[in-house]
Amino acid sequence: MPAILQNPAHLHLLLNHLPIAGLAVAALGLFLALLARNRGAQIISLCLIILTSAAAWPVYVTGENAYKSIRGIADDAGSDWLDTHIDRADETIWYFAVPPAFALLAMFLPRKFPSSAVPLLVVTLLAALVCLGLAAYIADAGGQIRHPEFRKSATLP
């Protein structure tokens, strides 16, 4: 296994784009599939929502594992942002279970109840957008740990 994949901080940085960029693309795909009324595209988008939302969990775990090493190299403001970043992740990680749950319902429930398809797709899309916002909220603090140029001020908000 390459050394970069054995380092939790590197692994965290590699994976953290999935619940952000991946979820954004999956949500866009679901929106377009809804407009097109294309069930095949809807299923593909739902699968992507499941994968990209579920990716928040390995991101969370690798971030937890990287905490100590990053804390040791961050400046004082970066350490404060690291604490904010981990607090935000701790507070919001459970929300990332919601889009996959609704996506699974949206995949299978319409077989028995066809009229449930569109409402479930819309709720799944909304849940994905909420999690996308939460991912951006977490990432905002994460980006400021080692990048002083991203910091809005010397103190935390």
Side-chain angles (χ1 to χ4, degrees), residues 12-95:
H12 180 71
L13 291 173
L14 287 172
L15 294 175
N16 71 17
H17 298 88
L18 288 173
I20 300 171
L23 194 52
V25 170
L28 177 62
L30 184 56
F31 176 73
L32 295 174
L34 263 165
L35 290 179
R37 298 180 192 270
N38 183 320
R39 186 67 180 159
Q42 292 167 1
I43 295 295
I44 291 169
S45 298
L46 291 168
C47 289
L48 289 173
I49 285 174
I50 291 168
L51 291 172
T52 56
S53 293
W57 293 92
V59 171
Y60 178 77
V61 170
T62 57
E64 289 274 325
N65 293 337
Y67 177 83
K68 203 177 226 180
S69 63
I70 299 303
R71 181 96 177 157
I73 61 171
D75 61 11
D76 289 341
S79 292
D80 291 340
W81 280 109
L82 178 63
D83 291 338
T84 299
H85 179 60
I86 202 163
D87 288 344
R88 289 178 180 184
D90 286 341
E91 292 167 359
T92 60
I93 187 62
W94 293 102
Y95 290 99

Side-chain angles (χ1 to χ4, degrees), residues 93-108:
I93 187 62
W94 293 102
Y95 290 99
F96 287 87
V98 175
F102 279 115
L104 286 169
L105 286 173
M107 288 171 73
F108 298 110

